[in-house]
Amino acid sequence: MRIAVVGGGPAGLYFALLMKRDWPALDVTVFERNQPDDTFGFGVVFSDQTLDTFKTADPESYGAIVDNFAYWDDIEIRFKDTLHRVSGNGFCGCSRRSLLMLVQERCRQLGVTLKFGEEADDIEALKRNFDLVVAADGINSRIREGWRERFRPQVDLRPNKFTWMGSTRPFDAFTFFFKETEHGLFIAHCYQYEVGRSTWVLETDPETFAKAGLESMDEAASAAFLEGIFAEELQGHRLITNRSLWRNFPMIRCESWVSENVVLIGDAKATAHFSIGSGTKLAMEDAIALHRAFGKAKLDVTAALSLYERTRREEVEKTQHAADVSLVWFEQLRRFWDFDPLRFAFGLMTRSKAITYDNLALRAPAFVAAIDTLVADEVGPTARRKRDGSPVAPAFQPFRLREMQIENRMVLSPMCQYSAVEGMPTDWHLMHYGSRAIGGPGLIVSEMTCVAPDARITPGCTGLYSDEQEAAWARIVAFVHANSTAKFCLQLGHAGRKGATRLMWDGMDRPLPAGAWPIISASPLPYYPESQVPREMTRADMDRVRSEFVTAARRGERAGFDMLELHCAHGYLLASFLSPLTNHRTDAYGGSLENRLRYPRELFRALREVWPREKPMSVRISATDWKEGGLSPEDSVAIAAAFAEEGCDLVDVSTGQTVNDSRPIYGRMFQTPYSDRIRNEARIATMCVGNITTADQVNTIIASGRADLVALGRPHLADPSFVLRAAAWYGVDTPQPVQYQPGKDQLMRNTPREREELTELKLKAKPGRHADAH
């Protein structure tokens, strides 16, 4: 078999050596347009975990690499005259040139043919003359671009500007410097990669870049300017340039990595932002994955390439998602600039979701203890403390909305049960809410409760438009109040164009085959092509629906609810006014965002007028429609601010479900960034929701200032005692009915011992061993 590797970077060279080592008879040639000793950039970074991967893949090159590495364990954050140092991170830096020379030498030893100073971008000739063509030619891959119609790349050019420089200043930690200047904000990501050499990645936003006049500066002038900005941090050392051009980072994704006998690896197929230090890691792990695929496929090219893409894509996309979240944190730095420096540092450490509260508690317990104190101090006199006087974990600190105090930050998310009969909640609902309340959440939010028979989503949805329904809800609320400390929020909504549909398990959002009722919406647009076409609301309809909401709210007050939430999300009636995808009106209620907000604001105002002043109100919104042309992040902030002006106390931040062809990007805590933005730009309390599954994640979100409350749905469905178990884990006493007290006592006895044992195991395994921490 003849193999052509196009690109002599870490990915291409590493793949070549692995293949030649295991199958010496293979003819493996690496084509590199540059000379062997050309060097661009400065250092590369690997985690302990990544080095372990290299050790397994090729012990010989691993040994040579680690002999040339500078190792650090700490991350240091310099922000507003403060210094925070977090240990236990386990990272190594190495000269990019040294790495390339080491891997080149290993390739020569094994008999790989290395051709330098040669362009190899004629795809047709390559695939004709070689059995396998590996495109490892980087971000500007000519092979990828030559076959764009096959690989279908998507490039997201990010707004921040950055440049790579070097210095002779030594570092004993990966160090972040944040500087505010007359021009704006600058960031330096710094680390030592060999004796007497360190990498400086300098980054700034486009406004600062323009104001500083950096566009017109050459490399030397740019370096001199930055030496002035970071004079104190450089400690008398100079900045070194090496093709140190200002650029915008391209986030590259390809729909396909394989075409015929050609495969993309490394930056040619996918990039990950430098702020998580995973570019070279991803590239070399691609090489390992492709090599393993050939081993499993017994050198069958077609089978190996298919296996490679099938098994490797998920890991790459997970890393890219973490990189996306990380880079956005730096792009939106101004949002966090007024944070307490300790919270700023905690947010920086946890920005990509690779590190969480519990991770940090293992590696930097004093840092986490300080965060606990910060959250407790913000709560004030009602902050909860343990017997030794130390504050409880952030998830268990109370939170106040008007005159209502919520005992912890974990919320039972509103989840439709589709189990009502003619709008009447049943014993199922009594069991559902009662058992979860006993489990310990600070707040319970009812499923969307409909304000009229024709406001229901399905025939199984609950309502609050009759005396009988009011009495049934009052029974449930009274049980919750009598047997728990949970507060109970009533969520009111109207299905709009998503009404008259089947139960979730019979075909969610699909129209009823029989018995459907007429539906209304902002515009006459069906949800699915086969869905019922709603009637566009008239002013008379608006008046009627507003009156139905007001009547339901009054019933909710009599039933004893502590809080009221207006559902303006997920494509239901009020959401259909807010989104330009579903509001095509040409009157005063359509067009501009101000107009689209007009009716939802009017309805909220009417509810605020009848809801008791001392009781809080919230609104649930979809912060993005996950579709081009829908709500923008700026829109969601403006919507939140508009409701705040009407007396809203909390924004329940969800996303999507506005149109049937949306394309959400899922992942852990995937909706939290939207809550973060609204909370810290609109300056209103938020509740986040969306694939949040652990109390550790709740602690991370609250401590970093991304939300004030955290709603969990499926975890509560699987475990009604989710909060109680979390309380035992963190050593927090939480109320339980006397009937269940023995179970709580056992949990409180056994869990600390289990946690100690698990912590000991993790410490033995080196808690810093993880990928992409910085």
Side-chain angles (χ1 to χ4, degrees):
M1 180 192 295
R2 300 191 69 215
I3 299 175
V5 178
V6 182
L13 291 170
Y14 205 59
F15 175 72
L17 78 83
L18 292 174
M19 293 297 287
K20 189 67 174 176
R21 180 199 66 190
D22 288 354
W23 296 282
L26 295 178
D27 179 352
V28 183
T29 303
V30 177
F31 297 92
E32 169 54 49
R33 64 172 66 102
N34 298 306
Q35 295 303 314
D37 57 350
D38 285 344
T39 174
F40 307 109
F42 298 91
V44 296
V45 178
F46 299 121
S47 67
D48 278 346
Q49 184 185 67
T50 301
L51 290 177
D52 286 347
T53 301
F54 295 165
K55 184 177 183 179
T56 302
D58 186 52
E60 287 78 4
S61 58
Y62 162 82
I65 289 169
V66 295
D67 287 344
N68 289 270
F69 264 77
Y71 184 87
W72 68 85
D73 194 55
D74 293 356
I75 291 178
E76 190 169 284
I77 301 161
R78 300 269 186 164
F79 174 69
K80 289 187 176 180
D81 299 322
T82 67
L83 184 157
H84 291 96
R85 196 171 175 107
V86 182
S87 61
N89 296 283
F91 275 84
C92 302
C94 176
S95 161
R96 176 177 171 81
R97 182 178 183 277
S98 296
L99 175 65
L100 290 176
M101 299 301 286
L102 290 168
V103 184
Q104 286 175 20
E105 181 57 30
R106 177 77 170 131
C107 283
R108 291 190 187 97
Q109 292 171 359
L110 293 168
V112 174
T113 302
L114 302 178
K115 293 189 175 183
F116 294 97
E118 287 198 26
E119 296 284 357
D121 52 8
D122 185 336
I123 309 174
E124 294 299 332
L126 285 166
K127 75 182 186 67
R128 183 172 58 250
N129 296 328
F130 292 88
D131 302 292
L132 171 67
V133 179
V134 179
D137 50 345
I139 284 178
N140 299 311
S141 170
R142 297 187 182 184
I143 290 181
R144 181 193 67 228
E145 294 303 301
W147 266 4
R148 286 186 65 87
E149 75 284 356
R150 300 192 183 201
F151 297 118
R152 300 183 297 283
Q154 299 172 347
V155 181
D156 178 10
L157 206 60
R158 304 306 303 181
N160 270 15
K161 295 285 188 176
F162 75 97
T163 182
W164 289 75
M165 295 188 181
S167 174
T168 54
R169 189 207 144 159
F171 287 96
D172 64 350
F174 190 105
T175 303
F176 291 100
F177 296 114
F178 297 91
K179 296 281 286 192
E180 186 169 26
T181 72
E182 60 183 315
H183 311 291
L185 304 180
F186 285 90
I187 312 162
H189 313 238
C190 306
Y191 59 91
Q192 185 161 321
Y193 60 85
E194 63 181 31
V195 176
R197 288 290 185 271
S198 55
T199 294
W200 287 61
V201 185
L202 293 310
E203 180 179 6
T204 190
D205 59 81
E207 294 77 19
T208 302
F209 184 80
K211 191 174 179 181
L214 285 161
E215 183 70 52
S216 61
M217 297 184 194
D218 60 16
E219 278 186 81
S222 182
F225 174 83
L226 290 166
E227 284 174 351
I229 296 294
F230 291 100
E232 180 182 355
E233 291 75 15
L234 281 162
Q235 298 179 349
H237 296 265
R238 304 294 301 274
L239 286 174
I240 302 167
T241 60
N242 181 355
R243 292 184 64 181
S244 301
L245 307 176
W246 287 97
R247 292 170 284 165
N248 297 85
F249 186 83
M251 183 60 81
I252 297 172
R253 291 175 169 82
C254 292
E255 289 185 31
S256 176
W257 300 349
V258 173
S259 181
E260 299 183 35
N261 63 337
V262 180
V263 59
L264 306 178
I265 68 171
D267 284 347
K269 61 143 190 35
T271 58
H273 192 251
F274 56 81
S275 63
I276 67 167
S278 287
T280 306
K281 158 196 154 64
L282 273 181
M284 294 179 71
E285 289 180 349
D286 282 350
I288 293 169
L290 184 58
H291 162 258
R292 287 176 179 167
F294 270 95
K296 291 180 180 178
K298 296 181 172 53
L299 297 183
D300 182 301
V301 172
T302 301
L305 297 189
S306 175
L307 179 63
Y308 161 70
E309 180 162 10
R310 190 168 67 251
T311 56
R312 179 70 178 144
R313 183 174 283 275
E314 181 180 357
E315 184 61 31
V316 170
E317 290 180 349
K318 282 167 58 178
T319 302
Q320 282 193 295
H321 178 70
D324 282 348
V325 177
S326 177
L327 72 86
V328 168
W329 191 92
F330 288 99
E331 289 171 356
Q332 298 172 348
L333 184 62
R334 178 60 70 180
R335 182 195 304 167
F336 314 113
W337 199 256
D338 294 331
F339 272 23
D340 180 282
L342 178 62
R343 170 160 283 145
F344 180 92
F346 186 87
L348 172 64
M349 290 299 301
T350 60
R351 69 193 181 279
S352 72
K353 302 181 289 189
I355 298 176
T356 63
Y357 176 94
D358 280 1
N359 297 146
L360 287 171
L362 280 174
R363 67 185 66 185
F367 182 66
V368 171
I371 277 289
D372 289 347
T373 298
L374 173 66
V375 175
D377 288 347
E378 290 173 341
V379 171
T382 60
R384 297 187 67 189
R385 297 183 181 276
K386 300 178 184 178
R387 290 180 181 178
D388 63 3
S390 63
V392 299
F396 291 94
Q397 289 293 358
F399 186 68
R400 195 169 190 84
L401 290 169
R402 298 202 180 211
E403 297 303 311
M404 182 185 81
Q405 178 163 298
I406 302 167
E407 293 306 317
N408 62 63
R409 307 301 182 96
M410 287 169 281
V411 179
L412 175 66
S413 188
M415 293 174 286
C416 288
Q417 297 297 291
Y418 305 106
S419 300
V421 178
E422 297 297 331
M424 279 282 292
T426 65
D427 285 349
W428 176 266
H429 297 87
L430 176 66
M431 179 281 301
H432 172 67
Y433 293 111
S435 61
R436 272 74 192 167
I438 290 169
L443 178 67
I444 291 174
V445 184
S446 76
E447 62 185 271
M448 189 176 98
T449 303
C450 304
V451 297
D454 64 348
R456 291 175 297 162
I457 310 167
T458 75
C461 289
T462 58
L464 191 46
Y465 46 83
S466 73
D467 293 343
E468 293 77 15
Q469 293 164 355
E470 180 182 325
W473 276 116
R475 175 181 176 231
I476 296 169
V477 174
F479 183 92
V480 167
H481 284 159
N483 294 283
S484 76
T485 60
K487 298 299 188 293
F488 209 152
C489 175
L490 168 64
Q491 186 189 79
L492 289 179
H494 190 301
R497 73 181 190 138
K498 294 175 78 173
T501 56
R502 304 181 189 197
L503 303 181
M504 179 182 68
W505 42 84
D506 290 334
M508 188 172 181
D509 295 328
R510 296 292 176 176
L512 285 171
W517 49 88
I519 57 176
I520 55 176
S521 189
S523 297
L525 303 171
Y527 187 71
Y528 284 111
E530 69 273 22
S531 297
Q532 182 184 167
V533 178
R535 178 170 55 80
E536 182 172 291
M537 287 183 76
T538 64
R539 183 61 249 188
D541 292 323
M542 295 181 196
D543 292 341
R544 172 179 60 82
V545 170
R546 182 187 61 198
S547 177
E548 290 168 347
F549 270 92
V550 167
T551 300
R554 287 184 168 132
R555 289 186 180 279
E557 159 62 9
R558 291 197 297 267
F561 284 99
D562 305 291
M563 179 176 170
L564 182 64
E565 177 165 288
L566 179 63
H567 202 322
C568 295
H570 300 167
Y572 297 125
L573 181 66
L574 298 176
S576 73
F577 276 87
L578 295 174
S579 173
L581 298 177
T582 51
N583 185 339
H584 294 180
R585 300 176 73 99
T586 57
D587 61 5
Y589 301 95
S592 68
L593 179 60
E594 180 183 5
N595 283 358
R596 300 197 310 271
L597 262 163
R598 192 183 304 272
Y599 182 59
R601 285 186 73 163
E602 172 191 321
L603 205 156
F604 187 94
R605 189 182 311 126
L607 293 177
R608 185 69 270 183
E609 288 174 359
V610 300
W611 190 248
R613 186 176 184 83
E614 71 277 8
K615 291 187 175 185
M617 281 186 62
S618 61
V619 61
R620 170 168 265 204
I621 67 170
S622 286
T624 176
D625 295 322
W626 296 110
K627 183 176 179 180
E628 187 175 353
L631 290 170
S632 69
E634 293 77 15
D635 288 341
S636 64
V637 172
I639 290 168
F643 281 113
E645 290 175 3
E646 301 295 346
C648 181
D649 304 291
L650 175 84
V651 179
D652 178 358
V653 184
S654 188
T655 65
Q657 301 179 51
T658 306
V659 292
N660 73 72
D661 57 347
S662 62
R663 293 292 179 268
I665 301 173
Y666 294 108
R668 287 178 300 139
M669 303 179 277
F670 74 106
Q671 296 177 145
T672 301
Y674 298 95
S675 167
D676 184 344
R677 182 164 193 159
I678 289 170
R679 181 185 189 272
N680 295 305
E681 291 186 12
R683 304 294 181 180
I684 185 171
T686 60
M687 178 164 70
C688 65
V689 64
N691 204 15
I692 301 165
T693 59
T694 68
D696 173 30
Q697 292 170 355
V698 177
N699 282 321
T700 306
I701 291 166
I702 300 301
S704 59
R706 295 183 174 112
D708 299 280
L709 297 172
V710 179
L712 305 100
R714 289 173 176 82
H716 275 121
L717 292 181
D719 183 2
S721 295
F722 174 88
V723 176
L724 176 62
R725 294 183 192 280
W729 183 259
Y730 291 103
V732 180
D733 190 26
T734 190
Q736 276 283 284
V738 293
Q739 298 94 326
Y740 284 6
Q741 191 66 40
K744 173 194 166 182
D745 292 344
Q746 183 183 64
L747 197 62
M748 296 297 289
R749 284 194 306 270
N750 293 342
T751 304
R753 182 171 63 252
E754 293 170 2
R755 184 176 185 179
E756 288 176 8
E757 292 171 354
L758 183 59
T759 299
E760 186 177 346
L761 287 172
K762 287 182 177 179
L763 288 171
K764 287 180 179 178
K766 293 182 68 175
R769 283 177 170 252
H770 63 88
D772 317 320
H774 65 273

